[in-house]
Amino acid sequence: SEARLGTYMIAAGHNPERALRLYIWNVQMGEAFHMPIQAAEVGLRNRINFALCALYGNEWWRNKAFLELADDERRGDLEVVFRRIRNRDLLLETGQVVAGLSFGFWVALLQPRYNPDIWSSQIRPAFPNLPAGKTRHALTKRAGEVAYIRNRISHHEPIIREDHSKRFKELMEFLGWICPTKTAWIKPHCRVYETLRKKP
């Protein structure tokens, strides 16, 4: 549509051919960010699941104390996932619940509401690679920034005005806080810088 292409037309100096090339490049940048974002998302949910299991048991999502702590939106997220699992005739178990919850659910669990109940005792056990001097607040802020760029890409929004080098650097740093081994494993396969150099 004209409205959707408008952002690209402005960035391309109203050159339609370049605007379309920018549109394709925007898609390619989204593809390039997909792998590190996926790694961060899966890693974050695994680390938070570790903390919740330590405090509330392996079925923390049934635990009364956790459910009373959770806000209405988080409880709603859980109900949606339970319904989806049952509708697919799958076993209602922790692996399915964890995999079914959105990135937003996990990012929200880092908010101040859940400190001190969860994070006063679990921040270091759950995130042993979080650098000294970095707190839950730093983790929350960075997780929110990752969620922002993830959601723009997932909703097919333009990311052509983003500082891609900075975003990628911060994303990989965040992943390093979660799991340095995973960071080292995927880094050689990431194509953000390669794609950045191809900007029309």
Side-chain angles (χ1 to χ4, degrees), residues 75-133:
R75 287 192 294 269
D77 291 340
L78 284 166
E79 287 300 326
V80 168
V81 168
F82 297 162
R83 191 162 52 249
R84 286 176 181 164
I85 291 170
R86 291 186 184 110
N87 288 344
R88 293 167 61 198
D89 292 322
L90 297 173
L91 186 65
L92 188 59
E93 52 88 27
T94 300
Q96 292 290 343
V97 172
V98 169
L101 288 163
S102 70
F103 191 41
F105 176 90
W106 302 107
V107 173
L109 287 187
L110 294 170
Q111 295 295 326
R113 175 190 182 93
Y114 300 97
N115 188 55
D117 296 77
I118 297 173
W119 300 116
S120 63
S121 65
Q122 292 302 311
I123 195 73
R124 292 297 163 184
F127 296 94
N129 298 295
L130 188 65

Side-chain angles (χ1 to χ4, degrees), residues 19-192:
L20 290 173
R21 291 202 308 270
L22 277 173
Y23 189 94
I24 296 299
W25 179 78
N26 187 77
V27 174
Q28 292 168 339
M29 282 304 305
E31 290 174 347
F33 268 101
H34 180 77
M35 179 185 284
I37 287 173
Q38 179 193 56
E41 182 168 349
V42 172
L44 182 67
R45 76 189 189 196
N46 287 343
R47 299 318 302 157
I48 295 178
N49 178 60
F50 174 90
L52 297 178
C53 287
L55 288 173
Y56 302 108
N58 287 344
E59 293 189 344
W60 53 265
W61 38 274
R62 292 187 198 269
N63 185 284
K64 184 181 177 183
F66 172 75
L67 293 173
E68 288 177 350
L69 174 65
D71 58 57
D72 290 342
E73 192 171 351
R74 303 293 76 76
R75 287 192 294 269
D77 291 340
L78 284 166
E79 287 300 326
V80 168
V81 168
F82 297 162
R83 191 162 52 249
R84 286 176 181 164
I85 291 170
R86 291 186 184 110
N87 288 344
R88 293 167 61 198
D89 292 322
L90 297 173
L91 186 65
L92 188 59
E93 52 88 27
T94 300
Q96 292 290 343
V97 172
V98 169
L101 288 163
S102 70
F103 191 41
F105 176 90
W106 302 107
V107 173
L109 287 187
L110 294 170
Q111 295 295 326
R113 175 190 182 93
Y114 300 97
N115 188 55
D117 296 77
I118 297 173
W119 300 116
S120 63
S121 65
Q122 292 302 311
I123 195 73
R124 292 297 163 184
F127 296 94
N129 298 295
L130 188 65
K134 295 289 184 184
T135 63
R136 179 201 54 79
H137 176 73
L139 198 63
T140 306
K141 183 174 183 293
R142 188 60 59 85
E145 290 165 352
V146 173
Y148 166 79
I149 194 68
R150 174 208 184 275
N151 290 341
R152 287 200 68 80
I153 292 167
S154 295
H155 295 121
H156 318 299
E157 297 292 338
I159 57 169
I160 55 177
R161 293 186 178 133
E162 297 292 332
D163 185 336
H164 298 93
S165 294
K166 182 173 182 286
R167 289 280 182 195
F168 180 64
K169 180 182 176 184
E170 290 176 348
L171 173 55
M172 295 304 286
E173 183 181 43
F174 177 68
L175 185 54
W177 297 351
I178 295 169
C179 182
T181 303
K182 192 171 192 178
T183 309
W185 176 52
I186 71 157
K187 193 171 184 179
H189 305 286
C190 293
R191 297 180 289 108
V192 171

